[in-house]
Every structure is written in structure tokens, then in C-alpha cells.
Amino acid sequence: MPDPDRIKALVHDAYDRFKTIDDGAVANYIPALAAVPRDLFGLCVVGVNGAIHGMGDINYEFSIQSVSKPFVFALICQAIGEDVAQEKLGVNSTGLPFNSVIALERIDEGTNNPMVNAGAIATTSLAPGDTAEAKWQFIQAQLSRFAGRDLSLNQAVYESEAATNQRNTGIAKLLQAYDRIFFDPVEATDIYTKQCSLNVTARDLAVMAATLANGGVNPVTQDAIIDPIHCQHVLAVMVTAGLYENSGDWLYETGLPGKSGVSGGLVTVSPGKGGLATFAPPLDEAGNSVKGQLVTQFLSEQLGLNLFASRPNT
């Protein structure tokens, strides 16, 4: 990473450059998300050395939604091993929207992964514990370790999503028909809904992303959460499917593993360097934050983070 003054200047520049962008639409299929002000905007960079640089609404709490997926996958890899996780969940991109039912018809081909809803619900079902409560407590506690603070449930978002998650319940029951879910499908869906309803901030997400960049050790608290080997596998799946059917475009433009959520959160990981998180509720048609993508593309280039960038040897 560049020196701290350079990072600080670029974070400020990115905020000023993109704060007036008003493209996209706030998610409206979940009533509690539709009520979030569209002009909220924050971005935060956390280095593997624990240094934090942020601008804007980085302490505003919002529900984590699908940004939880890579972190729960990491926890399951730690709990049951990455090879077993790959066998049970799959790691290939579906090339279809995050809530696609059609993708389930191709599940025997291995075209499922923990970044889409079907794979994420199956991932959640593998959480340690014999009861739904035990599994939920594990997920809440371990995601809190990633963030470095206790994460609370957003009750309003949970109730709103629980009242409108019939599609996810249907997906879970289809998974059961394919022997690809590992706990009661209705209870697994409810745990997953709670998981997506945890409150985080852009600062929290940047710390969580930096933990994946730092070999599984939270750079702020120095808490070792997962083994380094699991970080590389999680980042590989994020590269292929983190932004759903737009993952190829994302990789082409940023060269980094990322994960979006319909509440407007977006995390990006630069292995060995740090994590970037943005929060801006308006989304594109694929459900990815418009401002978040612009910020990440800009900072990836300006901070020299693109994994595929190279210069001639002179």
C-alpha cells in the first residue's frame, strides 16, 4: 500500500469525486431497505497494519445482506475443511442472478457456490450446532469477531425479510430435494435471514475485508479467526461470483475479489495489503452499489491494487 498520507488523500478524492452520483435505485422488494435514505455514502480503507482511513457515513449501521456470504463460507471452511466445503457447496459461478431457481437444475454439474442464495443457505445450514439457535449464535459470534465488535440483529430488517422470503424458502426446499442442504430447510432459511439482517457499518466491513487480506487475522484486534489457507479459497470464489452475473465485468475493471449486498454495501479485498468497503444504497440492475463500484475501480487503479496489473521489466 502507498504511504498513509497518499491513502488519506485518495480516499478524500474518491469521496468528493463520486458523492454527487445519483444513478441506480434503492432495493424496494424488502420494505425495510426501501426506507433507507439514498444519499448515504461512506467509504473506508483498512490496511493489514490496522490503519483506518474513511470518509462520509462510515459509522452508519445497515444490514449486511449478501456481504455476509464470503465470511460465513470462510467460517464453514474453518469448521469442516475447505475440501469438504467445496464438495458439499460447489465453487463454480452460475452465471445467473443471485436468487435464480434455474441454477438449481444444474447443481449436479457443480454450478453452485456460496455467493448466490442457494449456495449461501446451504453454507449456513452447515454451521456448527445441533439446533437453529446454536447455529445462529455461532454465526453471530464469529461474524462479530471478523468485525472486531459485537454485531446486533436489525429486528426491523429481519421481520421485513422474514415476511417476504418465500422464494428463499422455496430454494431451500429444492436444495433438500437434491440432498444439498444439511439442516431443516425452513430453519436454515430463517438463520440465513437473520445472518443477512446483522447490522454493520462501512468501517466494520473494511475491517472484515482486511481480515481476509491478512491471512485470517483481524488487523485491528489481532484475533486469529480462520487459517490462512481458507482466505485464498474464499477469495477465489469471490473473484468468480462475488458480483453475480456481473463478476466478469467487475474483475475486468478492478482486478480484485469483491462482494456486494442489496443494502448498498460492497467489500473488496487486496491480499496482503488491505480491505476496502463502501456503503451507498442505490443499486444497478444486478443489485450492486453504483457508487461502490465507481469508488472501487478508482481506488484500485490509484492505489495500485489490481492483481493483474504489471509493468515491463526494465
Side-chain angles (χ1 to χ4, degrees), residues 57 85 98 100 107 134 172 178 181 211 213 230 309:
D57 301 307
F98 68 93
S100 174
I107 201 167
Y178 285 100
I181 196 165
T211 301
H230 303 312

Side-chain angles (χ1 to χ4, degrees), residues 163-238:
T164 57
N165 68 355
Q166 292 88 350
R167 188 180 185 91
N168 279 343
T169 302
I171 286 172
K173 290 181 178 179
L174 276 175
L175 285 170
Q176 185 180 37
Y178 285 100
D179 293 324
R180 289 298 186 117
I181 196 165
F182 311 98
F183 193 62
D184 178 83
V186 175
E187 290 190 300
T189 302
D190 185 63
I191 301 166
Y192 171 72
T193 303
K194 287 180 178 176
Q195 167 189 313
C196 291
S197 303
L198 280 173
N199 271 334
V200 292
T201 65
R203 182 188 185 279
D204 292 332
L205 292 184
V207 172
M208 295 171 78
T211 301
L212 290 179
N214 194 40
V217 177
N218 185 312
V220 176
T221 66
Q222 296 301 308
D223 184 10
I225 300 167
I226 60 171
D227 297 333
I229 186 65
H230 303 312
C231 293
Q232 73 181 52
H233 290 118
V234 171
L235 295 181
V237 179
M238 289 173 71

Side-chain angles (χ1 to χ4, degrees), residues 243-288:
L243 273 80
Y244 310 121
E245 65 268 38
N246 287 2
S247 294
D249 289 334
W250 167 262
L251 192 61
Y252 190 90
E253 293 161 353
T254 69
L256 291 167
K259 186 70 196 80
S260 62
V262 295
S263 57
L266 178 64
V267 296
T268 311
V269 181
S270 180
K273 295 183 178 181
L276 163 66
T278 61
F279 172 57
L283 313 174
D284 64 17
E285 292 183 356
N288 305 313

